[in-house]
Amino acid sequence: MVAIDIDRVSKSFRKYTNREIATIKDLFVMGIFRKDTFETETFWALRDVSFNIENGKMIGIIGSNGSGKSTLLKLLAGIMGPTSGSIRVKGRVSALIELGAGFHPELSGRENIFINGIILGLSKKEIKDRFDGIVKFAGLEDFIDSPVKTYSSGMYMRLGFAIAINVDPDILLIDEILAVGDEEFQHKCLNKINDFKRKGKTLVFVSHDLGSIERLCDEVVWIEDGVLKARGLPRMVIDSYTGYVASFEEERAFENHQSALEGAKRESPNRWGTREIEITNVRLTDGDKKEKYLFEYGEPIEIILSYKTKRKIEDPVFGIGIFRDDGVCVFGTNTAIDGFSISAVEGEGNVIFSIDRSNLVEGSYLLDVAIHKRDGQPYDYQSRLYSFVMRSKIKDVGIYRPDHDWLITSKEG
Amino acid sequence: MFSGILEVFKFRVLIQTLVLRELKSRYRGSVLGFLWSFLNPLFLMGVYTLVFSVYLKNPMEGYPAFLFCGLLPWLWFSTSIIHGAASIRGGGHLIKKVVFPAEILPVVAVLSNMINFLLSLPILLIFLLSYKITITMNVLFFPFLLIIQFILTSGLAFFLSAMNVHLKDVEQIINNLLMLLFFLTPILYPVTFIPEKYRGFFLILNPLFPLMTSYQDILFNGRLPDIKGLGYLLIISVLIFLIGYNVFNRFRDTFAEEV
């Protein structure tokens, strides 16, 4: 049986522009009773989205920020109506979109449980019956008669969650709120969610935490730019989503580099030296000579420095330094340290520094490139102007990932 | 239309809860607490009595009692309008985050101030009695006035709260208009102060005019209110309510997106 049927749903918002109704006169000229007086440019948060959710299933909704996930959830909850299309929902819906909506800071936790419960659609009797359970779930037995304004933000959220989840709906909508509270409380929440699943209730879960989505959900829906991109088994949809995010990141890393090159041309405190020989271009490529600034763990990296001299330069030293984005030096070397001696360069040319295996853990890295005299006097020093991103499926920590193995033995006898 | 009004009735538990929340939270934490609903009007009455009775030598007998008859309903009206107009904007956390019938918010503003008004009636009674004013059967009109004022104020609150969502200036405009209205309505002075030839004109223009004079008639003057004026007021109030609720309904969909 279908619990939620979403049929060609679109939702537009008014884009916030500088108010074009400048004076009250304008307002009356345009007609105060006409709705379109207040409408301007529209922005489509959702476009022609259709899918349905079967009874007793847990569905995860993923997508980048601003993709329309939360809008969809609000439409499902009935907080807003769709601009076009229809949504049919069978059963009582409870939406965990904001916890503690309607809490009044001056009133006690006890009073607020009643108010919030009524707002969420419970009757007084239902609240009375569930009161002790709510307080216990929130772990607020000792504070229930203190004003809510004295609560920590964690206590506040816990109370809100405890009330909302005790509404006992047929369909529960959850918006990114499992990050509430400490480990113990999160376990309680997960238990409650599993309880819901066992009872055959329908859940819709919006989150950026792909791990939880994969663990909890039966199916995943991916929404991007307001359009339904994919729907299916969690592993499958999550993989195509992460692939998409990666290509997006790659593009951004590329753009970052272009603007860094532009920046280097202007005077910058990050660049100094006599410029008798100059670094005119910096490019990063992988093993196949493809220019890129986002590397997978283990991929080869080549750093290509282009130089140009004003006169013949004797005995130049080329150097590079790799830094983590917090400033820790990962590695630094130059041609002199590595025992190369370059007698002289003139005109234009390239210097290529290549790494066969980039054993760096996931993160952003900054680059120093330099040409200087053997005694260290800089011709052209460009510090932390360029950057690249490492990505890895392995979530280890630190900076450098040595090739390694584990061997576990136990002593016989 | 009427199903909408029935809807409001359906949410009476919610309304009741929110009105209670409003009243409880208003004075919670202040030392004098609930006494403020007596002290605020008493203070205003003191100031006006000083200015009008002492400085301007208004010879009227029992002026403080007279003043109260109009001032207390006026306070209910003006605070309801101010709170009501701000109610949708101020209730953003409810309208945006939970499924919530928006029309409840202006109604709650009017109702909670009405209860405040009712609770301040004992001081009115004390003043009437201390100035030896006899309470007549005409007091029986009181519930009727109450209902009319509720309809009128709610209608305005619906309209203004919806407008205020899109045009924040409404809150400012209201403050100024209320001031104007306060002095144009016979509250500080009896209706006889207005030259007779203008009275009819003001009565038509300002629905609070017949309302306030009726309160004064039944409580202070101990006589029948102007029935024709009241009839006119009732019609105007219902009309304002219908228009206000309609405008509110028309803009309802935009609330969750705009506040």
Side-chain angles (χ1 to χ4, degrees), chain A residues 60 65 81-82 119 121 141 146 155 192 194 265 283 297 301 305 342:
Chain A
N65 280 331
I119 287 173
E141 290 92 338
S146 317
M155 289 157 79
K192 198 84 191 179
N194 282 325
K265 284 196 188 116
R283 284 187 306 139
Y297 162 77
I301 301 177
L305 309 180
I342 305 157

Side-chain angles (χ1 to χ4, degrees), chain A residues 166-185:
Chain A
N166 271 291
V167 170
D168 198 22
D170 305 307
I171 299 168
L172 184 66
L173 312 174
I174 309 172
D175 191 1
E176 195 80 73
I177 47 165
L178 284 181
V180 173
D182 56 14
E183 200 91 343
E184 190 209 338
F185 188 72

